[in-house]
Amino acid sequence: QVQLVESGGGLVQPGGSLRLSCVASGSIFRINDMGWYRQAPGKQRELVAVIGSGGSTNYADSVKGRFTISRDNARNTVYLQMNSLKPEDTAAYYCNAGVERSPYFSARDYWGQGTQVTVSS
């Protein structure tokens, strides 16, 4: 099995910063893309940012210039540094990873349990 565990969410004022972390553990041969998604109440889950195993990144337009995704391959960890937070960033943030559990099987997606980010004064 593979587990993803997020941390770092919380309540922050507009303009503030938070750093989310997500650690993957378990039966892991290789991790491909790692990413962050978010889901606000009444809305669909949306991509926030994704990072490939080589470090290439992609961001939603709404967070470009404010959020930075990074990863530590040795620790199977992905981070999301969120600056200049806005009330519209309020959502549950979910970690996602494409994990190969063996060299003989294709990668499959795994999800964390989510961490709440609330931006409010």
Side-chain angles (χ1 to χ4, degrees):
Q1 289 293 342
V2 175
Q3 297 83 36
L4 301 182
V5 178
E6 301 107 332
S7 61
L11 173 64
V12 64
Q13 292 187 343
S17 298
L18 282 175
R19 188 192 195 208
L20 305 183
S21 300
C22 172
V23 181
S25 63
S27 179
I28 298 172
F29 171 69
R30 179 165 53 210
I31 302 177
N32 299 323
D33 288 355
M34 301 186 81
W36 291 94
Y37 291 71
R38 67 186 181 187
Q39 187 168 19
K43 294 188 177 181
Q44 289 188 332
R45 189 173 295 189
E46 63 176 2
L47 173 69
V48 176
V50 63
I51 184 168
S53 57
S56 61
T57 59
N58 192 32
Y59 295 91
D61 287 343
S62 59
V63 306
K64 283 181 181 176
R66 301 187 298 122
F67 291 9
T68 302
I69 189 170
S70 60
R71 66 189 284 174
D72 182 338
N73 290 330
R75 298 176 184 271
N76 291 337
T77 301
V78 62
Y79 305 97
L80 185 68
Q81 178 66 44
M82 304 185 294
N83 299 328
S84 302
L85 282 160
K86 304 175 181 180
E88 51 263 43
D89 295 317
T90 295
Y93 283 69
Y94 296 90
C95 174
N96 170 268
V99 179
E100 297 178 34
R101 296 181 60 191
S102 157
Y104 307 108
F105 297 100
S106 300
R108 58 156 287 189
D109 275 347
Y110 290 88
W111 292 88
Q113 80 289 351
T115 185
Q116 180 66 35
V117 171
T118 302
V119 185
S120 175
S121 55

